[in-house]
Amino acid sequence: LILCKKIEACSEKLIRKDGLKRSWGFPTGCSINHVAAHYTPNYGDETVLKEKDVVKLDFGTQINGHIIDCAFTIAFDPMFDKLLEAVQDATNTGIKEAGIDVRLCDIGERIQEVMESYEVTIDGKTYQVKSISNLNGHSIGSYQIHAGKSVPIVKGRDATKMEEGEMYAIETFGSTGKGYVHEDMACSHYMKNFDAPFRSLRSRKSKQLLSHIDKNFGTLAFCRRWLEDQGQKGYLMALKELCDTDIVRKYPPLCDKPGCYTAQFEHTILLRPTCKEVVSRGSDY
């Protein structure tokens, strides 16, 4: 919890946060070990990082709806180095392969080929690093973190092509487990449906909460911590009604089998007419 709040405070300062003009792109992900994505602590969660934890830090910012999405993985024990190396190499391969008129399936095939060429030895047992088959990169639109196109990280049949002017989050996930995730644990991530239908809400609190979401987050993802930081109280039943009516969607943590380890690396790219720009690249990763 302290880690996520410090990252968010730093991002807020750097972008000079200003409502929906300049803000966080989505909640800070801090998924640990077999949890691959969509975990950020709710208040009351007293999880403490341990020496043998593998932590995915997934964060982003936006200015005027232009979202930058990036992630990296931290492990304190060097026995996980090959797992992290495999996933970072796979992400860099995806970035290298991406471009105007490139088929999404071709990128996925190359990512999987690189990812699964690695092995990692953990506590004396050797595992092949597997691409998590049901997680993908994605196109990014204005105030829309998932804009419709998916960039697979395994071989597939989607022959859709990338186009000039598009932005993509190229992200890959490797696992020592099944290489397949399912929803589990308490939900913290939510987002208003970009094409939310009109629904007549029964509860006054639900109407108030929806107005608050529209004003503070629009169609950007948010978490329960942020609602509470902004003074929302007794909102869980109202949030449930918004989810039940498909106005808001919940995004629970995505988990491989307990006991395994997962890693993630991600960058955002912009396909310009004459080049591709990695807009999230820094000197550190």
Side-chain angles (χ1 to χ4, degrees):
L1 178 62
I2 294 171
L3 175 62
C4 290
K5 289 179 74 68
K6 283 188 174 181
I7 291 172
E8 290 164 2
C10 182
S11 297
E12 184 177 41
K13 181 179 179 180
L14 288 172
I15 63 172
R16 303 188 300 277
K17 191 170 184 293
D18 180 17
L20 281 174
K21 293 180 181 179
R22 298 169 175 262
S23 70
W24 302 309
F26 48 86
T28 301
C30 186
S31 303
I32 303 170
N33 298 337
H34 74 289
V35 183
H38 294 175
Y39 167 79
T40 196
N42 294 318
Y43 282 123
D45 185 334
E46 298 182 357
T47 300
V48 176
L49 295 182
K50 299 183 288 295
E51 183 180 356
K52 288 192 175 182
D53 283 341
V54 177
V55 187
K56 281 72 64 183
L57 291 174
D58 190 351
F59 61 102
T61 58
Q62 66 84 23
I63 296 178
N64 295 325
H66 301 290
I67 304 170
I68 304 297
D69 187 357
C70 64
F72 60 92
T73 300
I74 295 174
F76 309 106
D77 192 316
M79 71 177 174
F80 297 110
D81 286 354
K82 277 295 180 183
L83 172 62
L84 273 60
E85 183 183 335
V87 183
Q88 188 165 19
D89 192 1
T91 294
N92 286 333
T93 297
I95 293 169
K96 181 180 178 181
E97 295 294 323
I100 296 168
D101 289 335
V102 174
R103 297 186 301 176
L104 299 175
C105 59
D106 293 340
I107 300 173
E109 184 173 0
R110 284 290 294 130
I111 287 172
Q112 184 177 21
E113 180 182 338
V114 170
M115 180 87 75
E116 299 187 353
S117 69
Y118 282 82
E119 292 182 338
V120 57
T121 300
I122 301 172
D123 293 328
K125 186 174 180 180
T126 300
Y127 302 86
Q128 181 188 27
V129 180
K130 299 177 182 175
S131 286
I132 298 180
S133 60
N134 58 332
L135 291 178
N136 308 282
H138 47 89
S139 58
I140 300 174
S142 178
Y143 292 103
Q144 189 176 20
I145 189 64
H146 288 202
K149 291 184 179 180
S150 294
V151 184
I153 61 174
V154 294
K155 184 178 180 180
R157 298 179 179 176
D158 186 354
T160 303
K161 292 182 179 181
M162 291 181 159
E163 299 176 51
E164 180 182 322
E166 291 180 326
M167 288 187 72
Y168 284 90
I170 303 296
E171 60 180 325
T172 72
F173 297 82
S175 174
T176 63
K178 294 180 178 179
Y180 189 89
V181 293
H182 61 279
E183 294 180 350
D184 196 11
M185 303 167 47
C187 187
S188 56
H189 285 55
Y190 298 83
M191 184 166 65
K192 185 179 177 185
N193 184 352
F194 195 79
D195 300 310
F198 174 78
R199 294 283 191 268
S200 179
L201 298 170
R202 294 176 295 176
S203 161
R204 179 182 299 177
K205 179 63 178 176
S206 298
K207 296 175 183 177
Q208 182 273 324
L209 180 61
L210 178 58
S211 176
H212 180 87
I213 291 169
D214 284 337
K215 179 181 178 181
N216 291 277
F217 309 115
T219 53
L220 298 171
F222 60 92
C223 62
R224 286 168 52 183
R225 279 191 293 108
W226 294 355
L227 291 176
E228 292 166 31
D229 287 343
Q230 294 167 351
Q232 292 295 313
K233 298 178 180 178
Y235 62 85
L236 287 177
M237 288 303 296
L239 185 56
K240 182 179 184 301
E241 183 179 1
L242 294 180
C243 291
D244 289 345
T245 53
D246 201 33
I247 295 172
V248 170
R249 291 180 180 169
K250 57 183 179 179
Y251 295 87
L254 299 172
C255 306
D256 203 327
K257 68 177 184 179
C260 78
Y261 295 92
T262 61
Q264 172 197 18
F265 281 86
E266 175 180 24
H267 277 297
T268 297
I269 65 171
L270 172 61
L271 300 181
R272 296 186 179 277
T274 57
C275 68
K276 57 190 168 194
E277 181 180 356
V278 186
V279 294
S280 57
R281 182 79 79 186
S283 59
D284 48 356
Y285 80 102

